[in-house]
Amino acid sequence: MPACVPTHTPDSARAKPAHTPHGPPARPRGFRVAGADLSAATAVFLIALPLSLGIALATGAPLQAGLVAAAVGGLVAGRLGGSPLQVSGPAAGLTVVTADLIHRYGWRTTCAITVLAGLAQLGLACLRVARGALAVSPAVVHGMLAGIGMTIAVAQLHIVLGGSPQSSVTENLLALPAQLARLSPTALAVSALTLTLLLLWPRLPGRPGRLLRPVPAPLVAVAGATAVASLTGLTLPRVDLPSWRSHALAGLPEGPALGLVAAVVSTTLVCSVQSLLGAVAVDKLVAGRSGTAARVGRSNLDRELLGQGAANLVSGALGGLPVAGVAVRSSANVRAGAVSRNSTMLHGVLVVVAALLMVPILELIPLASLAALVMAVGIQMVSLHHIRTVTRHREVPVYAVTTLGVVAFGVLEGVALGVAVAVAVALHRLARTRVRHDQKEGVHYVHVRGQLTFLAVPRLSRALHLVPQGARAVVEMDGSFMDHAAYETLQDWQRVHTAQGGSVELTGRRAGVGVAEPADRAGAAGCRCRPWTPWRNHQCEGGSRTASAPGGHAGPDASPGPGAAPLPGSGSGSGLGSGPGSSSSSGPRSRSSGPGSRSAPGSSPGSGPTSGSGRSRQQLARGISTFQRNTAPLVREELARLAREGQQPSQLFLTCADSRLVTSMITSSGPGDLFVVRNVGNLVPPPGEDSGDDSVAAAIEYAVEVLGVRSVTVCGHSGCGAMQALLDSRFGEFRTPLGRWLRHGLPSLERMAGNGRSRPGLSGRRPADAAEQLCLTNIVQQLDHLRAHDAVARALGEGALELHGMYFHVGEAQAYLLTGTDGKETFTGVGPAMDLHSPA
């Protein structure tokens, strides 16, 4: 297979129709267009038409060039690209680059540069390097778009005021006072009307607003300004579309070779990065949809680059602007419900029809209205959301340098400056390590923030030698990397310090605790667990490698690997204080000593403060201490925000109280995501049931009506003791509190026994036994109980709530989601990379 042939995406891989060997061959299916694609294509066309003309005006190109690029982007990129729902065409992000090329080399050479950029994109697609574009720092990309947006806005402001823009931002800013002195009232009035309609149309209130808002605001703004200008007879420059017979096509490139190469590189860079990042953004929008419309294949980035290259090749050859994926049109396409690439192609067909048949109407549009529209797009490219994001990730210098570089020097130069600053920031973060020493209550603390490399060894050594001989020392490290030089420095100091009668505790994200302490702290010292390693009710397997006597030293038999070294010693990592099964009681901790280890005088297994209730208290305190040391600093800011704003969970998660079921782990959720209700057997008492316990009903009412959750999930699990008790009829008389509670599971037992209903099953295999069958049946039955609650019934009727069933097999660490309709319920396994909107 040739290297440049892209792999097929699910969109392009279609099953061939099957027919029997002796039967008539199946008829080939004709071209069919879904109604959703047709309506989406119309919506995108109504947005693309004025924007294409406005971007062509902003670049100084012939206005037909914008229509050519829009048509080619829809037809060529839409057919060949790897992102089915991304809409390509003339993009605002290319305005500055194209305007500079036209100013330097003229229009025909600019078209030739577009052709060469398309060929370069085809070459990159053959090399399959599309994903390399995702390695560019988001701060650089956002800064580039912000700089382009500022350049566009300043330039179009001159046309809004009735003048003409200059060739650079500096010249436009210097000429602005003179332009304000001779502004055109008619152009300003038309522009103000356009901006007013553009801003107010999406905010129309009430029922009229709901009916009118589907009409795109850009179309309404330009059409309204055009109608007012035509009806009032205003005299001002309007769109001029010469005959297509005189349309200029691409010519041979003329100019200095180095300058042309730089032009091709900059055009290729901006087109490719914007299109590929746009494809990723479209995937996220599609993933956020629900229902059948969400079943669209993920983008194939190499194929998308291939389609963009072909589109630029054709657009440049036909005298069109450079083509790239356009965020505004793509998001409109997704939100309009498009289900295939047919919507993108149909929008291109509609642009061709408009370019051929609607020229008299298009020539009524005032240039000031188009300029106001493009100026608004440029202002929106300076996104406050992006600024907040780069601020949160401490990448403001990268963003600011890129933005100012694009504004002052150009796109290619600005991006180069941004990449250089991004690399410098990354190196600074890697090399910058803060080491400090302090003392509290007789304990000496050495705090290390950052990565431990050979550059930090002098500061680390200086701080370590501030710890007196024989003292208790705690070294706290929050980095995730340690090179060999730092490892040896720390290990040598620890060996010497413990030999002199001191004790050392090492804590950190990758650290164990290499503790040589008295026996009353041996339990805390020996913990070496990290998140989701073998917990065994938090009974650490590494305890046998920890010395338990004062002055002793022991650590794991590990040596530093290539490039990075594990921290010396053993002990608490960055793990949580508890894990699956930690909430259940456990037996005595097994802590056999290894060869050469010494026991503390007078100590014996099970004696001292670590026995009985003292052990459970120590386990609780150790878990809390680990949280306060390692996790609390990372989540404190987010928890403070939740404390200020209040909780806004997206779903109510009702599950069993079994200690092996860790809801945040199996749902990858965090603080504020889930409103969790747990009870024995994940039971939902029907409304009106005289159970003496309204806690579940109260939680449901609070979650649905007060918190406004959008979904409720009932989650059962394998090996449920409540279901086994129901099968064994252990609580037949229901005299104890547990027995009275389990009677709410009797409908599940009756449902499984018969009642004319088919039993829920698992995809791929049968339930292992009656207990697993009852666990599955119980989930379906409790969902029926949920629907009977008034709050749930009302929310379901309004379409504001969804119900989900989930089964978690503990032994396999496998989650299943309930699919199918009443009577054909099936629990389908969720894979690591499956499309969650499809049944399997």
Side-chain angles (χ1 to χ4, degrees):
M1 180 181 291
C4 59
V5 177
T7 57
H8 290 288
T9 62
D11 182 79
S12 62
R14 301 181 185 277
K16 295 181 180 180
H19 60 276
T20 59
H22 303 289
R27 294 183 180 180
R29 296 175 63 182
F31 179 74
R32 299 177 62 183
V33 179
D37 283 335
L38 183 60
S39 61
T42 304
V44 174
F45 160 72
L46 295 176
I47 295 174
L49 190 63
L51 281 177
S52 300
L53 293 173
I55 291 170
L57 173 67
T59 61
L63 296 184
Q64 296 102 316
L67 299 177
V68 171
V72 172
L75 293 170
V76 179
R79 181 65 188 88
L80 301 179
S83 181
L85 300 189
Q86 175 162 252
V87 181
S88 301
L94 293 163
T95 302
V96 175
V97 176
T98 310
D100 183 60
L101 295 180
I102 295 173
H103 178 73
R104 290 188 181 184
Y105 304 110
W107 172 241
R108 293 171 65 87
T109 298
T110 300
C111 291
I113 291 172
T114 303
V115 172
L116 295 175
L119 291 173
Q121 287 180 299
L122 291 175
L124 293 174
C126 291
L127 296 175
R128 300 187 183 278
V129 297
R131 290 206 170 269
L134 303 182
V136 180
S137 169
V140 173
V141 177
H142 298 328
M144 178 189 75
L145 295 177
I148 291 172
M150 293 170 62
T151 305
I152 292 172
V154 173
Q156 297 310 295
L157 181 59
H158 283 269
I159 302 179
V160 166
L161 297 176
S164 299
Q166 306 300 314
S167 59
S168 70
V169 177
T170 305
E171 293 177 356
N172 281 321
L173 290 175
L174 293 175
L176 195 56
Q179 183 62 58
L180 289 171
R182 60 174 189 275
L183 62 84
S184 169
T186 55
L188 185 61
V190 170
S191 300
L193 177 60
T194 303
L195 293 174
T196 301
L197 291 173
L198 190 65
L199 294 174
L200 296 183
W201 188 259
R203 297 170 175 81
L204 290 176
R207 185 176 180 183
R210 290 194 298 271
L211 295 175
L212 297 175
R213 275 196 297 268
V215 182
L219 177 69
V220 173
V222 174
T226 301
V228 170
S230 300
L231 293 175
T232 57
L234 296 178
T235 303
L236 70 170
R238 300 176 187 267
V239 168
D240 181 19
L241 294 174
S243 170
W244 285 103
R245 296 179 181 177
S246 60
H247 179 62
L249 303 178
L252 293 175
E254 299 177 358
L258 190 60
L260 292 174
V261 170
V264 172
V265 170
S266 61
T267 304
T268 304
L269 172 69
V270 178
C271 288
S272 302
V273 171
Q274 180 168 343
S275 299
L276 295 175
L277 294 179
V280 174
V282 168
D283 284 345
K284 294 179 181 178
L285 289 175
V286 172
R289 299 195 307 189
S290 59
T292 307
R295 299 173 190 174
V296 179
R298 291 181 62 84
S299 297
N300 182 327
L301 296 185
D302 290 309
R303 178 175 171 178
E304 180 62 20
L305 192 57
L306 183 76
Q308 295 294 331
N312 275 311
L313 179 64
V314 175
S315 180
L318 296 180
L321 290 170
V323 171
V326 187
V328 175
R329 300 173 212 180
S330 300
S331 60
N333 193 37
V334 174
R335 292 191 177 104
V339 295
S340 73
R341 64 179 70 247
N342 291 338
S343 63
T344 304
M345 297 170 63
L346 279 173
H347 127 268
V349 172
L350 293 175
V351 171
V352 172
V353 172
L356 296 176
L357 303 181
M358 296 177 60
V359 172
I361 298 176
L362 297 178
E363 289 184 334
L364 296 175
I365 300 175
L367 295 183
S369 178
L370 292 179
L373 176 63
V374 177
M375 185 180 73
V377 172
I379 294 173
Q380 291 172 354
M381 291 173 71
V382 186
S383 170
L384 293 178
H385 172 70
H386 292 161
I387 293 174
R388 284 193 293 266
T389 300
V390 298
T391 302
R392 187 166 59 249
H393 292 283
R394 297 181 297 168
E395 292 185 326
V396 173
V398 180
Y399 181 89
V401 169
T402 307
T403 301
L404 296 177
V406 170
V407 171
F409 305 111
V411 174
L412 193 60
E413 294 84 353
V415 169
L417 287 173
V419 170
V421 174
V423 171
V425 169
L427 292 175
H428 173 72
R429 289 176 178 174
L430 180 63
R432 185 186 182 210
T433 306
R434 285 178 287 179
V435 183
R436 64 184 178 89
H437 166 269
D438 60 18
Q439 179 182 359
K440 296 179 182 178
E441 300 178 355
V443 180
H444 291 260
Y445 292 88
V446 177
H447 305 275
V448 181
R449 298 198 62 183
Q451 316 309 321
L452 268 176
T453 66
F454 66 95
L455 297 174
V457 166
R459 280 169 285 164
L460 176 64
S461 179
R462 191 180 306 117
L464 292 176
H465 283 83
L466 293 176
V467 180
Q469 294 182 5
R472 181 186 169 205
V474 177
V475 182
E476 296 183 348
M477 292 166 283
D478 72 347
S480 58
F481 176 82
M482 174 189 293
D483 70 3
H484 199 101
Y487 173 83
E488 287 194 344
T489 299
L490 195 55
Q491 188 182 49
D492 292 344
W493 172 82
Q494 183 186 23
R495 185 180 298 112
V496 172
H497 188 73
T498 53
Q500 294 172 345
S503 65
V504 179
E505 181 177 347
L506 304 177
T507 67
R509 293 185 181 180
R510 300 178 63 85
V513 181
V515 187
E517 297 190 52
D520 62 345
R521 290 188 53 83
C527 178
R528 301 181 60 246
C529 293
R530 287 181 290 177
W532 319 133
T533 53
W535 283 86
R536 300 194 181 175
N537 289 4
H538 216 80
Q539 308 299 309
C540 299
E541 296 180 324
S544 61
R545 291 186 258 180
T546 302
S548 58
H553 169 72
D557 300 328
S559 59
L567 295 181
S570 63
S572 174
S574 64
L576 307 175
S578 60
S582 297
S583 60
S584 61
S585 61
S586 59
R589 183 182 298 270
S590 175
R591 303 191 54 79
S592 60
S593 299
S597 64
R598 299 189 299 271
S599 297
S603 65
S604 62
S607 65
T610 59
S611 63
S613 62
R615 181 181 295 109
S616 63
R617 177 182 177 86
Q618 187 183 67
Q619 182 176 350
L620 175 63
R622 182 177 63 248
I624 297 173
S625 176
T626 302
F627 167 79
Q628 294 297 151
R629 181 174 61 247
N630 297 326
T631 309
L634 304 178
V635 301
R636 185 169 287 119
E637 181 179 351
E638 177 66 12
L639 290 178
R641 183 188 66 80
L642 290 171
R644 291 192 305 270
E645 300 176 1
Q647 61 169 329
Q648 296 177 347
S650 59
Q651 63 175 296
L652 165 62
F653 199 86
L654 198 151
T655 188
C656 185
D658 193 293
S659 64
R660 298 166 294 179
L661 212 61
V662 185
T663 57
S664 59
M665 178 180 72
I666 64 177
T667 60
S668 298
S669 57
D673 292 338
L674 303 179
F675 187 74
V676 181
V677 175
R678 306 187 70 151
N679 60 53
V680 175
N682 48 277
L683 301 177
V684 181
E689 191 80 13
D690 184 18
S691 62
D693 182 3
D694 289 331
S695 62
V696 177
I700 293 171
E701 181 181 348
Y702 183 76
V704 174
E705 296 197 339
V706 179
L707 297 179
V709 297
R710 297 187 295 275
S711 68
V712 181
T713 301
V714 176
C715 177
H717 66 96
S718 62
C720 181
M723 298 300 105
Q724 190 63 52
L726 284 171
L727 283 174
D728 296 344
S729 301
R730 290 190 219 158
F731 301 96
E733 298 181 5
F734 302 109
R735 293 179 178 177
T736 67
L738 180 58
R740 288 193 294 272
W741 172 254
L742 285 179
R743 68 180 180 177
H744 300 303
L746 290 178
S748 302
L749 197 61
E750 295 170 359
R751 186 184 189 120
M752 187 181 77
N755 257 356
R757 295 183 178 181
S758 61
R759 298 178 176 181
L762 293 168
S763 62
R765 68 174 179 88
R766 294 182 177 179
D769 50 27
E772 185 171 46
Q773 181 64 69
L774 182 56
C775 290
L776 300 176
T777 306
N778 182 59
I779 297 171
V780 178
Q781 183 64 38
Q782 302 313 313
L783 286 173
D784 286 351
H785 290 179
L786 259 178
R787 295 185 184 95
H789 284 261
D790 291 340
V792 175
R794 283 194 298 270
L796 289 173
E798 297 169 358
L801 187 68
E802 296 179 356
L803 300 185
H804 304 292
M806 176 177 167
Y807 175 71
F808 186 73
H809 194 288
V810 177
E812 299 173 356
Q814 176 64 55
Y816 297 82
L817 290 179
L818 178 62
T819 58
T821 57
D822 185 32
K824 297 182 180 179
E825 295 91 353
T826 302
F827 287 84
T828 304
V830 180
M834 76 172 285
D835 180 3
L836 296 181
H837 298 286
S838 62

